[in-house]
Amino acid sequence: MNPPDEHRPAAGEVPPADPSDARGEQEAAAPAEEGTTPSTADWQRLHPISVWASTVVAGVFLIPSAVVGTVVLVVAGQPLWALAPVPGALALLAFMTYLDMLRLRATRYRVTAERMEMRSGIIAKAYRSIPRERVRSVDVAAPVYVRVFGLCSVTVGTGEKVGAGADQLQLLYVTAEQGEWLRRDLLYRGAPRAAGPSGGSADGAPGAGGEDGTELARLDRRWFAYAPATTATMGVGLGAITGLLGLNAQTGGAGWDWISDQAGLPSISEMSSFVMARLVLVVPLTLLGLLVSGVLILTAVAVETWWDYRLTREADGTVRLRRGLLTSVSLSVEGRRLNGVTLHEPFVLRRAGGADVRAVATGLAAADEKKTSAKSRLSPPMPRSRALELAADLMRTPDSPLEVPLVRHPRAALRRRFTRATVVTVLGAVLAGTLSWLHTLASEAWWDVVHEAEREFVPVPLATSTVEATPAWGWAVLAVLIAAVAFWYAVGSYRGLGHGLHPRYLVVRQGMAVRDTVTLERSAVIGWRITRSPFQRRLGLADVAATTAAGQGSYAARDVGLGQGLSWAGEAVPELLEPFLARGDGRGDATAGEEPSRD
């Protein structure tokens, strides 16, 4: 089923002919004269320099690889084959350039007073059309390899998720001036403007005003200190070790053997004994090495992603995000589509006193949840107090909804989490007991087989030797550690629960590893979903979720008392739930006498 904002002709149907097509193609083929502006009602081409930009980028990788291949073949004594790589690379480059030229000739777009249209396809022709009122976001991106040519890509999003790529139109590539004009024009909701990619508005309409608008936030380089505050910091270092493991496995363990012979390293048994004797020193140094490598990599990624970060609100209410070092990104969200914000606080970042702000808006949906989350980010990690200020500015409220007192959920929700922690503890004890039993049964021959396998796949084969030297009762430490973490997580998860109301917004908080506090405009709620599992019914609990067209589509108060949740939903949007409420003393009604949560 086609999305409502697009028109696709049936098989064999030709899109309506436009008398301006021929004129538009002629105008697009030749650059506009200085001081003139092409009309966007005519069909426009992508910029021809984009073909040569792609050729240069491909050549940077292909030509050096071909030269290296030639040198290797000459050294290997294959002079005839050595003549093939460079001509082959040039032929491939020419073929890719030819295909890009065909794509350029086949792609046309235009923006009229009512719609944005695009024709594309070399073999399979495609025609796509989006009504302007369905445009929700315009993303202008300029990777460094096209930015040097003054080009950018423009992605027009509608928020639909029907089929692959059905939610957007993408232009690869147009000039930076065209991209900026398209961004302003497509998000403008007034009468059509007599302007073009190089010109401004003829009538001084909103959205065509000052370039900067009202600044909401600007990068503070001290915020990069929050970049490593994530559980992935150690994982990045472990990723490097995993790469070494894979390399050693590809060589059948020869890599470690060669390093041992060249460096004169001790035997595996001697190294294992050394590690066990100095375990208190070796473990912290290893963790420190992983931590330092993770910090360096994550900080570099944050610098590339958030360099030159600015968040502004333009005259027509559009919220615009600009960021990026190597890839310059500009994302614009229409102001009336911004229905709330999320204060995102992963555990490590929360402990460091930081948070970031994410949009709850229609039009930011992508093909998967990960891409949607990335598009919705409106700030880098920053101090929590600054994040609260930014959220209040985005919602245009003097009193931030994120700071309203939240109602604590019933103790039954804590008992439910303790039950889960108990199950995890039992499973951890079973696992530790099984490992201890296998440890006592392992014979010397069995350990020899494991040692040999480890030498084949692990660059530094110390793990099995260390495990072999561990006493059997040491596995009990693992069981105790699992139990401690499970109950600690249960308490933290319960303390993270909360819900509340603001005059304009409803507020929901949940999460332990990642704590999200969501504010959603009460007027944006289009329905309620109440779900109860058998365990929740036994405890008088329920999940009460507000459904909306914005953001993730549903935001739930988890494990709330049934009467408590229904009262909250009924007060938030009375006209939706009132016809379905039966007044009475329902089990789990904890609205009276509840304490505000201050966690």
Coordinates of all heavy atoms in Angstrom, one line a residue, residues 388-467:
L388 N 18.9 20.5 30.9 CA 17.5 20.9 31.4 C 17.2 22.3 30.9 O 16.0 22.5 30.5 CB 17.5 20.9 32.9 CG 17.6 19.5 33.6 CD1 17.7 19.7 35.1 CD2 16.3 18.7 33.2
E389 N 18.1 23.2 30.8 CA 17.9 24.5 30.3 C 17.5 24.5 28.8 O 16.6 25.1 28.3 CB 19.1 25.4 30.5 CG 19.4 25.8 32.0 CD 20.7 26.6 32.1 OE1 21.3 26.9 31.0 OE2 21.1 26.8 33.2
L390 N 18.3 23.7 28.1 CA 18.0 23.5 26.6 C 16.7 22.9 26.4 O 15.9 23.4 25.5 CB 19.1 22.7 26.0 CG 19.0 22.3 24.5 CD1 18.9 23.6 23.7 CD2 20.1 21.5 24.0
A391 N 16.3 21.9 27.2 CA 15.0 21.3 27.0 C 13.9 22.3 27.3 O 12.9 22.4 26.5 CB 14.9 20.1 27.9
A392 N 14.0 23.1 28.3 CA 13.0 24.2 28.6 C 12.9 25.2 27.4 O 11.8 25.6 27.1 CB 13.3 24.9 29.9
D393 N 14.1 25.5 26.8 CA 14.0 26.5 25.7 C 13.3 25.8 24.5 O 12.6 26.5 23.8 CB 15.5 26.9 25.3 CG 16.1 27.8 26.4 OD1 15.4 28.4 27.2 OD2 17.4 27.8 26.4
L394 N 13.6 24.6 24.3 CA 12.9 23.9 23.1 C 11.4 23.8 23.3 O 10.7 23.9 22.3 CB 13.5 22.5 23.0 CG 14.9 22.4 22.4 CD1 15.5 21.0 22.5 CD2 14.9 22.8 20.9
M395 N 11.0 23.6 24.6 CA 9.6 23.5 24.8 C 8.9 24.9 25.1 O 7.7 24.9 25.3 CB 9.3 22.6 26.0 CG 9.7 21.1 25.7 SD 9.4 20.0 27.1 CE 10.7 20.4 28.1
R396 N 9.7 25.9 25.1 CA 9.2 27.3 25.3 C 8.3 27.4 26.6 O 7.2 27.9 26.6 CB 8.4 27.7 24.1 CG 9.2 27.7 22.8 CD 8.3 28.3 21.7 NE 9.1 28.3 20.4 CZ 8.7 28.9 19.3 NH1 7.5 29.4 19.3 NH2 9.4 28.9 18.2
T397 N 8.9 26.8 27.7 CA 8.2 26.9 28.9 C 9.1 27.5 30.0 O 10.3 27.0 30.1 CB 7.7 25.5 29.4 OG1 8.8 24.6 29.5 CG2 6.7 25.0 28.5
P398 N 8.7 28.5 30.8 CA 9.6 29.0 31.8 C 9.9 28.0 32.9 O 11.0 27.9 33.5 CB 8.8 30.2 32.4 CG 7.3 29.9 32.0 CD 7.4 29.1 30.7
D399 N 8.9 27.1 33.2 CA 9.1 26.0 34.2 C 9.2 24.7 33.4 O 8.3 24.3 32.7 CB 8.0 26.0 35.2 CG 6.6 25.9 34.5 OD1 6.5 26.4 33.3 OD2 5.7 25.3 35.1
S400 N 10.4 24.1 33.5 CA 10.7 22.9 32.6 C 9.8 21.7 33.1 O 9.8 21.4 34.3 CB 12.1 22.5 32.7 OG 12.4 21.3 32.1
P401 N 9.1 21.1 32.2 CA 8.3 19.9 32.6 C 9.2 18.8 33.1 O 8.7 17.9 33.8 CB 7.6 19.4 31.3 CG 7.6 20.7 30.4 CD 8.8 21.5 30.8
L402 N 10.5 18.8 32.7 CA 11.4 17.7 33.2 C 11.7 17.9 34.7 O 12.2 16.9 35.3 CB 12.7 17.8 32.5 CG 12.7 17.4 31.0 CD1 14.0 17.8 30.3 CD2 12.5 15.9 30.9
E403 N 11.3 19.0 35.3 CA 11.6 19.2 36.7 C 10.3 19.1 37.6 O 10.4 19.4 38.8 CB 12.3 20.5 36.9 CG 13.6 20.6 36.2 CD 14.3 21.9 36.4 OE1 13.8 23.0 36.0 OE2 15.4 21.9 37.0
V404 N 9.2 18.7 37.0 CA 8.0 18.5 37.8 C 8.2 17.3 38.8 O 8.8 16.3 38.4 CB 6.7 18.4 37.0 CG1 6.5 19.5 36.1 CG2 6.8 17.1 36.1
P405 N 7.6 17.3 40.0 CA 7.7 16.2 40.9 C 7.0 15.0 40.2 O 5.9 15.1 39.7 CB 7.0 16.6 42.1 CG 7.0 18.1 42.1 CD 6.9 18.5 40.6
L406 N 7.7 13.8 40.3 CA 7.2 12.6 39.7 C 6.6 11.7 40.8 O 7.2 11.6 41.9 CB 8.2 11.8 38.9 CG 8.9 12.6 37.7 CD1 9.9 11.7 37.0 CD2 7.8 13.1 36.8
V407 N 5.5 11.0 40.5 CA 4.9 10.1 41.4 C 5.6 8.8 41.5 O 5.9 8.2 40.4 CB 3.4 9.9 41.0 CG1 2.7 8.9 42.0 CG2 2.6 11.2 41.1
R408 N 5.9 8.3 42.7 CA 6.6 7.0 42.8 C 5.7 5.9 42.5 O 4.5 5.9 42.9 CB 7.2 6.9 44.2 CG 8.2 5.7 44.4 CD 8.7 5.6 45.8 NE 9.4 6.8 46.2 CZ 10.7 7.0 46.0 NH1 11.4 6.1 45.3 NH2 11.3 8.1 46.4
H409 N 6.1 4.8 41.9 CA 5.3 3.7 41.6 C 5.1 2.8 42.8 O 6.0 2.8 43.7 CB 5.9 2.9 40.4 CG 5.7 3.6 39.1 ND1 5.8 3.0 37.9 CD2 5.5 5.0 38.9 CE1 5.6 3.9 36.9 NE2 5.4 5.1 37.5
P410 N 4.1 1.9 42.9 CA 3.9 1.1 44.1 C 5.0 0.2 44.4 O 5.8 -0.2 43.5 CB 2.6 0.3 43.7 CG 2.0 1.1 42.6 CD 3.1 1.7 41.8
R411 N 5.1 -0.3 45.6 CA 6.1 -1.2 46.1 C 6.0 -2.5 45.4 O 7.0 -3.3 45.3 CB 6.0 -1.4 47.6 CG 6.5 -0.2 48.4 CD 8.0 -0.1 48.3 NE 8.5 1.1 49.1 CZ 9.8 1.4 49.3 NH1 10.7 0.6 48.7 NH2 10.1 2.5 49.9
A412 N 4.8 -2.8 44.8 CA 4.7 -4.1 44.1 C 5.6 -4.1 42.9 O 6.1 -5.2 42.5 CB 3.2 -4.3 43.7
A413 N 5.9 -3.0 42.3 CA 6.8 -2.9 41.2 C 8.2 -3.3 41.6 O 9.0 -3.9 40.9 CB 6.8 -1.5 40.6
L414 N 8.6 -2.9 42.8 CA 9.9 -3.3 43.4 C 10.0 -4.8 43.6 O 11.0 -5.5 43.3 CB 10.2 -2.5 44.7 CG 11.5 -2.9 45.4 CD1 12.7 -2.6 44.5 CD2 11.7 -2.1 46.7
R415 N 8.9 -5.3 44.2 CA 8.9 -6.8 44.4 C 9.0 -7.6 43.1 O 9.6 -8.6 43.1 CB 7.6 -7.2 45.1 CG 7.5 -6.6 46.6 CD 6.4 -7.4 47.4 NE 5.1 -7.3 46.8 CZ 4.2 -6.3 47.0 NH1 4.6 -5.3 47.9 NH2 3.0 -6.3 46.5
R416 N 8.4 -7.0 42.1 CA 8.5 -7.7 40.8 C 9.9 -7.8 40.3 O 10.4 -8.8 39.7 CB 7.6 -7.0 39.8 CG 7.4 -7.8 38.5 CD 6.3 -7.1 37.6 NE 6.0 -8.0 36.5 CZ 6.0 -7.5 35.2 NH1 6.2 -6.2 35.0 NH2 5.7 -8.4 34.2
R417 N 10.6 -6.7 40.5 CA 12.0 -6.7 40.1 C 12.9 -7.5 41.0 O 13.9 -8.1 40.5 CB 12.5 -5.2 40.1 CG 12.1 -4.5 38.8 CD 11.9 -3.0 39.0 NE 11.5 -2.4 37.7 CZ 10.2 -2.4 37.2 NH1 9.3 -3.0 38.0 NH2 9.9 -1.9 36.1
F418 N 12.6 -7.6 42.3 CA 13.3 -8.5 43.1 C 13.1 -10.0 42.7 O 14.0 -10.8 42.8 CB 12.8 -8.3 44.6 CG 13.5 -7.2 45.3 CD1 13.1 -6.7 46.5 CD2 14.7 -6.6 44.8 CE1 13.7 -5.6 47.1 CE2 15.3 -5.6 45.4 CZ 14.9 -5.1 46.6
T419 N 11.9 -10.3 42.2 CA 11.6 -11.7 41.8 C 12.5 -12.0 40.6 O 13.1 -13.1 40.5 CB 10.2 -11.8 41.4 OG1 9.3 -11.5 42.5 CG2 9.9 -13.2 40.9
R420 N 12.7 -11.0 39.7 CA 13.5 -11.3 38.5 C 15.0 -11.4 39.0 O 15.7 -12.3 38.5 CB 13.4 -10.1 37.5 CG 12.1 -10.0 36.9 CD 12.0 -8.7 36.1 NE 10.7 -8.4 35.5 CZ 10.3 -7.3 35.0 NH1 11.2 -6.3 34.9 NH2 9.1 -7.2 34.5
A421 N 15.4 -10.6 39.9 CA 16.8 -10.7 40.4 C 17.0 -12.0 41.1 O 18.1 -12.6 41.0 CB 17.1 -9.5 41.4
T422 N 16.0 -12.5 41.8 CA 16.2 -13.8 42.4 C 16.4 -14.9 41.4 O 17.2 -15.8 41.6 CB 15.0 -14.2 43.3 OG1 14.8 -13.1 44.3 CG2 15.1 -15.5 44.0
V423 N 15.6 -14.9 40.3 CA 15.8 -15.9 39.2 C 17.2 -15.8 38.6 O 17.8 -16.8 38.4 CB 14.7 -15.6 38.2 CG1 15.0 -16.5 36.9 CG2 13.3 -15.9 38.7
V424 N 17.7 -14.6 38.4 CA 19.0 -14.4 37.9 C 20.1 -14.9 38.8 O 21.1 -15.6 38.4 CB 19.3 -12.9 37.5 CG1 20.7 -12.7 37.2 CG2 18.4 -12.5 36.4
T425 N 19.9 -14.7 40.1 CA 20.8 -15.2 41.1 C 20.9 -16.7 41.1 O 21.9 -17.3 41.2 CB 20.4 -14.7 42.5 OG1 20.4 -13.3 42.5 CG2 21.3 -15.2 43.6
V426 N 19.7 -17.4 41.1 CA 19.7 -18.8 41.0 C 20.4 -19.4 39.8 O 21.2 -20.3 39.9 CB 18.2 -19.3 41.1 CG1 18.1 -20.8 40.8 CG2 17.6 -19.0 42.4
L427 N 20.1 -18.7 38.6 CA 20.8 -19.2 37.4 C 22.3 -19.0 37.5 O 23.1 -19.8 37.0 CB 20.3 -18.4 36.2 CG 18.8 -18.7 35.8 CD1 18.4 -17.8 34.7 CD2 18.6 -20.2 35.5
G428 N 22.7 -17.8 38.1 CA 24.2 -17.6 38.3 C 24.8 -18.6 39.2 O 25.9 -19.1 39.0
A429 N 24.1 -19.0 40.3 CA 24.6 -20.1 41.2 C 24.7 -21.4 40.5 O 25.7 -22.2 40.7 CB 23.7 -20.2 42.4
V430 N 23.8 -21.7 39.6 CA 23.8 -23.0 38.9 C 25.0 -23.0 37.9 O 25.8 -23.9 37.7 CB 22.5 -23.2 38.1 CG1 22.6 -24.4 37.1 CG2 21.4 -23.5 39.1
L431 N 25.2 -21.8 37.2 CA 26.3 -21.7 36.3 C 27.7 -21.8 37.0 O 28.6 -22.6 36.6 CB 26.3 -20.3 35.6 CG 27.4 -20.0 34.7 CD1 27.5 -20.9 33.5 CD2 27.3 -18.5 34.2
A432 N 27.8 -21.1 38.2 CA 29.1 -21.2 38.9 C 29.3 -22.6 39.4 O 30.4 -23.2 39.4 CB 29.0 -20.3 40.1
G433 N 28.3 -23.3 39.9 CA 28.4 -24.7 40.4 C 28.8 -25.6 39.2 O 29.7 -26.5 39.4
T434 N 28.2 -25.4 38.0 CA 28.6 -26.3 36.9 C 30.0 -26.1 36.5 O 30.8 -27.0 36.2 CB 27.7 -25.9 35.7 OG1 26.3 -26.2 36.1 CG2 28.0 -26.8 34.5
L435 N 30.5 -24.8 36.5 CA 31.9 -24.5 36.1 C 32.8 -25.1 37.1 O 33.9 -25.6 36.8 CB 32.1 -23.0 35.9 CG 31.3 -22.4 34.8 CD1 31.5 -20.9 34.8 CD2 31.9 -22.9 33.4
S436 N 32.5 -25.0 38.4 CA 33.3 -25.6 39.4 C 33.4 -27.1 39.3 O 34.5 -27.7 39.5 CB 32.8 -25.2 40.8 OG 33.6 -25.7 41.8
W437 N 32.3 -27.7 39.0 CA 32.3 -29.2 38.9 C 33.2 -29.6 37.7 O 33.9 -30.6 37.7 CB 30.9 -29.7 38.7 CG 30.7 -31.1 38.4 CD1 31.0 -32.2 39.2 CD2 30.2 -31.7 37.2 NE1 30.7 -33.4 38.6 CE2 30.2 -33.1 37.3 CE3 29.7 -31.2 36.0 CZ2 29.8 -34.0 36.3 CZ3 29.3 -32.0 35.0 CH2 29.4 -33.4 35.2
L438 N 33.0 -28.9 36.5 CA 33.8 -29.2 35.3 C 35.3 -29.0 35.6 O 36.2 -29.7 35.1 CB 33.4 -28.4 34.2 CG 32.0 -28.7 33.6 CD1 31.6 -27.7 32.5 CD2 31.9 -30.1 33.0
H439 N 35.6 -28.0 36.4 CA 37.0 -27.7 36.8 C 37.6 -28.8 37.5 O 38.8 -29.2 37.3 CB 37.0 -26.4 37.6 CG 38.4 -25.8 37.7 ND1 38.6 -24.5 38.2 CD2 39.6 -26.2 37.3 CE1 39.9 -24.2 38.2 NE2 40.5 -25.2 37.6
T440 N 36.9 -29.4 38.4 CA 37.4 -30.5 39.2 C 37.6 -31.8 38.4 O 38.4 -32.7 38.7 CB 36.5 -30.8 40.4 OG1 35.2 -31.1 40.0 CG2 36.5 -29.6 41.4
L441 N 36.7 -32.0 37.3 CA 36.8 -33.2 36.5 C 37.8 -33.1 35.4 O 38.2 -34.1 34.9 CB 35.4 -33.4 35.8 CG 34.2 -33.8 36.7 CD1 33.0 -34.0 35.9 CD2 34.6 -35.1 37.5
A442 N 38.3 -31.9 35.1 CA 39.2 -31.7 34.0 C 40.5 -32.4 34.3 O 41.1 -32.2 35.4 CB 39.5 -30.2 33.7
S443 N 41.0 -33.2 33.4 CA 42.3 -33.9 33.5 C 43.4 -33.2 32.8 O 43.2 -32.2 32.1 CB 42.2 -35.3 32.9 OG 41.9 -35.2 31.5
E444 N 44.6 -33.6 33.1 CA 45.8 -33.0 32.4 C 45.7 -33.0 30.9 O 46.0 -32.1 30.2 CB 47.0 -33.6 33.0 CG 48.3 -32.9 32.4 CD 49.6 -33.5 33.0 OE1 49.5 -34.3 34.0 OE2 50.7 -33.2 32.5
A445 N 45.2 -34.2 30.4 CA 45.1 -34.3 28.9 C 44.1 -33.3 28.4 O 44.3 -32.7 27.3 CB 44.7 -35.8 28.6
W446 N 43.0 -33.1 29.1 CA 42.0 -32.2 28.7 C 42.5 -30.8 28.6 O 42.3 -30.0 27.6 CB 40.8 -32.3 29.6 CG 39.6 -31.5 29.2 CD1 38.6 -31.9 28.4 CD2 39.3 -30.1 29.5 NE1 37.7 -30.9 28.2 CE2 38.1 -29.8 28.9 CE3 39.9 -29.1 30.3 CZ2 37.5 -28.5 29.0 CZ3 39.3 -27.9 30.4 CH2 38.1 -27.6 29.7
W447 N 43.3 -30.4 29.6 CA 43.9 -29.1 29.6 C 44.9 -28.9 28.5 O 45.0 -27.8 27.9 CB 44.6 -28.8 31.0 CG 43.7 -28.5 32.1 CD1 43.5 -29.2 33.2 CD2 42.8 -27.3 32.2 NE1 42.5 -28.6 34.0 CE2 42.1 -27.4 33.4 CE3 42.6 -26.2 31.4 CZ2 41.2 -26.5 33.9 CZ3 41.7 -25.3 31.8 CH2 41.0 -25.4 33.0
D448 N 45.6 -30.0 28.1 CA 46.6 -29.9 27.0 C 45.9 -29.6 25.7 O 46.3 -28.8 24.9 CB 47.3 -31.2 26.9 CG 48.3 -31.4 28.0 OD1 48.7 -30.4 28.7 OD2 48.7 -32.6 28.3
V449 N 44.7 -30.2 25.5 CA 43.9 -29.9 24.3 C 43.4 -28.5 24.3 O 43.5 -27.8 23.2 CB 42.7 -30.9 24.2 CG1 41.8 -30.5 23.1 CG2 43.2 -32.3 24.1
V450 N 43.0 -28.0 25.4 CA 42.5 -26.6 25.5 C 43.6 -25.6 25.2 O 43.5 -24.6 24.5 CB 41.8 -26.3 26.8 CG1 41.4 -24.8 26.9 CG2 40.6 -27.2 27.0
H451 N 44.8 -25.9 25.8 CA 46.0 -25.0 25.6 C 46.4 -25.0 24.1 O 46.7 -23.9 23.6 CB 47.2 -25.5 26.4 CG 47.0 -25.4 27.9 ND1 46.3 -24.3 28.5 CD2 47.4 -26.1 29.0 CE1 46.3 -24.4 29.8 NE2 46.9 -25.5 30.1
E452 N 46.3 -26.1 23.5 CA 46.7 -26.2 22.1 C 45.7 -25.4 21.2 O 46.1 -24.6 20.3 CB 46.7 -27.6 21.6 CG 47.2 -27.8 20.2 CD 48.7 -27.3 20.0 OE1 49.5 -27.4 21.0 OE2 49.0 -26.9 18.9
A453 N 44.4 -25.5 21.5 CA 43.4 -24.7 20.8 C 43.6 -23.2 21.0 O 43.4 -22.4 20.1 CB 42.0 -25.2 21.2
E454 N 43.9 -22.8 22.2 CA 44.1 -21.4 22.5 C 45.3 -20.9 21.8 O 45.2 -19.7 21.3 CB 44.3 -21.2 24.0 CG 44.3 -19.8 24.4 CD 44.5 -19.6 25.9 OE1 45.2 -20.4 26.5 OE2 43.9 -18.6 26.5
R455 N 46.3 -21.6 21.6 CA 47.5 -21.1 20.9 C 47.2 -20.9 19.4 O 47.8 -20.0 18.8 CB 48.6 -22.2 21.0 CG 49.2 -22.3 22.3 CD 50.5 -23.1 22.3 NE 51.0 -23.5 23.6 CZ 50.7 -24.6 24.3 NH1 49.9 -25.5 23.7 NH2 51.1 -24.8 25.5
E456 N 46.2 -21.6 18.9 CA 45.8 -21.4 17.5 C 45.0 -20.2 17.2 O 45.1 -19.6 16.1 CB 44.9 -22.6 17.0 CG 45.7 -23.9 16.9 CD 46.7 -24.0 15.8 OE1 46.4 -23.3 14.8 OE2 47.8 -24.6 15.9
F457 N 44.3 -19.7 18.2 CA 43.3 -18.6 18.0 C 43.6 -17.3 18.8 O 43.1 -16.3 18.5 CB 41.9 -19.1 18.3 CG 41.5 -20.2 17.4 CD1 41.4 -21.5 17.9 CD2 41.1 -20.0 16.1 CE1 41.0 -22.6 17.1 CE2 40.7 -21.0 15.3 CZ 40.7 -22.3 15.8
V458 N 44.4 -17.4 19.9 CA 44.5 -16.3 20.8 C 45.9 -15.7 20.7 O 46.9 -16.5 20.8 CB 44.2 -16.7 22.2 CG1 44.3 -15.4 23.1 CG2 42.8 -17.2 22.3
P459 N 46.1 -14.4 20.4 CA 47.5 -13.8 20.3 C 48.3 -14.0 21.6 O 49.5 -14.3 21.5 CB 47.2 -12.4 20.0 CG 45.8 -12.3 19.4 CD 45.1 -13.4 20.1
V460 N 47.7 -13.8 22.7 CA 48.4 -14.0 24.0 C 47.6 -15.1 24.8 O 46.7 -14.8 25.6 CB 48.4 -12.7 24.8 CG1 49.3 -12.8 26.0 CG2 49.0 -11.5 23.9
P461 N 48.0 -16.3 24.6 CA 47.2 -17.5 25.2 C 47.5 -17.7 26.7 O 48.3 -18.5 27.1 CB 47.7 -18.7 24.3 CG 49.1 -18.3 23.9 CD 49.1 -16.8 23.7
L462 N 46.8 -16.8 27.5 CA 47.0 -16.9 28.9 C 45.8 -17.3 29.7 O 45.8 -17.7 30.9 CB 47.5 -15.6 29.5 CG 48.9 -15.1 29.0 CD1 49.2 -13.7 29.5 CD2 50.0 -16.0 29.4
A463 N 44.6 -17.2 29.0 CA 43.3 -17.4 29.7 C 43.2 -18.8 30.3 O 42.9 -18.9 31.5 CB 42.2 -17.1 28.8
T464 N 43.4 -19.8 29.5 CA 43.2 -21.2 30.1 C 44.2 -21.5 31.2 O 43.8 -22.2 32.1 CB 43.2 -22.2 29.0 OG1 44.5 -22.1 28.3 CG2 42.1 -22.0 28.0
S465 N 45.4 -21.0 31.0 CA 46.4 -21.3 32.0 C 46.0 -20.6 33.4 O 46.2 -21.2 34.4 CB 47.8 -20.8 31.6 OG 48.2 -21.5 30.4
T466 N 45.4 -19.4 33.2 CA 45.0 -18.7 34.4 C 43.8 -19.4 35.1 O 43.7 -19.6 36.3 CB 44.6 -17.3 34.1 OG1 45.7 -16.6 33.4 CG2 44.2 -16.5 35.3
V467 N 42.9 -19.9 34.2 CA 41.7 -20.6 34.8 C 42.1 -21.9 35.4 O 41.6 -22.3 36.5 CB 40.7 -20.9 33.6 CG1 39.6 -21.9 34.1 CG2 40.1 -19.6 33.1

